[in-house]
Amino acid sequence: MANLGSNRRSDRGQIILVAAFLLAVTFVVLALVVNSAIFTENLATRDDVAGSHDALDHRAEVQASVGTALTSINNENGTDLSDKKGNLSKSIDNISQAGGLHQSTQGRLVDVNWDSSDSEEGVRIYQNNASRNFSSDSRDDDWVLTDSGNFDVRNFQMNITEPEEELFPLGGSEPFRLVANDTSDGDIEWNMTVEYDGSLPTGEGLVVNVDHPNHDEVSCTHELEDDAGFVLLDVTGASIDGESCHALSQLQDEDGTPMWFGEGVDEYQIEFQNADSIQGTYSFVGDDSMSTTGADDHPEDPDEAIYSVTVDYEFYTSQVAYETDIRVAPGEVPS
Amino acid sequence: MSPSLFDRSRPTDRSVSVALGYVLVLGISTILISGLLIAGGNFVEDNRERVIDSEMKVIGNHIAGNMEQVDRMVTASEDNMGDGPERAHINQSFQRLVTGSSYTVQVVDGDPPQVVLRSSDPEVTVHVNMTVQTDVEERTVSGGKISVYYDDSGSDGKLVITSA
């Protein structure tokens, strides 16, 4: 018989040993699973790829910087077109260098290039004398600034001085009117009037009314600062002293009805009416389809100008690439 | 003298079968320990599937985010110039395996377009919606280093995903 006494050698527990070994393997697999779970938490908290948002942010900065340079260079009176292009080329090189240097500290390669042939020429019509009303050179209060045509206008700004004295009061018969007049059809025009309102509960105000063929008249009111002496009306930028004016941009109705300058008219000529009811400076730039040969005499001769430029923008990091053209036409109304 | 049945100083093992005793002990031990291992195995497998699911959701959201960002670059160029950019891509590296299993990434056009990730073993599928204005090209790539780029070689520009 087998010797099953207590003095036999100890070899019990084989199954427990095997089971313990298998459990150990299970724990190792569990450790892999827990490790993956921790890694997933880490992956979830990571930001987007570095530079992916900056590619677009910097693009907007470049567009704004080039726009500012273009506006400033166009406003230099007495320089001809080739001088303006030369100055703009230098400005764009500076913008590219400054931006590139800043971005290179974060490991990004950024470049902005401009070929001076990549531009659209235009004409700038303006008045710099802030003490003069908006009448023509021969003091006509109702006059035509441009020939009739299908053209675009941008950066139409008026700096209205002494609004409480010079502007026609609200409800008066002859407030200043800016008109984009379609002469082929007598009733079709986009127009804007500017009036002064001294009866606002909060003080004095400027009232801008806009009317065009596709919508009834809409108004916006801007409260004037005490003793400011002037107010800046940006017609194409739809703002008064920096405050947005829906009557010049887009209504918050169901259709988002646009009210932008020139809305509802295709071919038009620009006219001032009751130009003695406003005083200050004005300036706008038209594209190469705008001409002034048949227009009335301007108080200051229209200047050659650059209407728009197209620059080449490149943004590279080790993981992100964005290369595109950017068309810069500051103050242009949306199409 | 024969030992007495009532002699307590000596243990008695009459009518006890040793072999049966061992079979019973080993059998019950085996059953208990097998039960423990099966439960442990199922626990690990369930958790592995859950972790794979959440891992692929995170990877899918990163890829969808990259596609939406490239789409924003494309629409910025189209709104400004009327044409897409010359080049736009975003590369990102992810792990090749999720909790030990390989996986594939598929872009499906639809309403809305989706990024679909599938692991091979265990089979887990994850869908991530994305909001893009540019068309997407339907394609399947394996997990790892993923590149999302804008391809304007066809008539319409498309967002394409590829293994970098």
Side-chain angles (χ1 to χ4, degrees), chain A residues 135-164:
Chain A
S135 60
S136 69
D137 194 36
S138 22
R139 296 287 172 185
D140 290 328
D141 292 331
D142 294 343
W143 62 292
V144 178
L145 281 79
T146 69
D147 296 335
S148 185
N150 189 347
F151 56 89
D152 288 326
V153 153
R154 67 168 180 82
N155 217 12
F156 198 144
Q157 304 214 4
M158 298 180 184
N159 194 340
I160 304 169
T161 52
E162 297 175 29
E164 61 282 354

Side-chain angles (χ1 to χ4, degrees), chain A residues 19 316 319 322-324 327, chain B residues 33 73 77 80 86-87 91:
Chain A
Y316 287 96
Q319 292 171 297
Y322 185 35
E323 185 177 339
T324 183
R327 179 175 176 273
Chain B
I33 286 166
M73 292 179 187
S77 293
N80 176 252
E86 282 174 42
R87 186 173 292 119
N91 300 342

Side-chain angles (χ1 to χ4, degrees), chain A residues 200-267:
Chain A
L200 285 182
T202 45
E204 302 170 319
L206 193 79
V207 178
V208 169
N209 309 294
V210 176
D211 184 17
H212 70 68
N214 300 339
H215 199 273
D216 296 333
E217 187 177 87
V218 182
S219 302
C220 68
T221 306
H222 171 75
E223 191 185 316
L224 295 171
E225 289 175 25
D226 292 335
D227 302 327
F230 67 92
V231 56
L232 185 60
L233 170 58
D234 189 340
V235 178
T236 49
S239 70
I240 309 173
D241 271 345
E243 225 177 75
S244 76
C245 169
H246 65 279
L248 284 168
S249 58
Q250 199 168 9
L251 301 179
Q252 288 178 2
D253 57 7
E254 207 179 283
D255 304 315
T257 308
M259 303 294 293
W260 301 100
F261 175 86
E263 185 66 33
V265 289
D266 291 324
E267 269 199 30

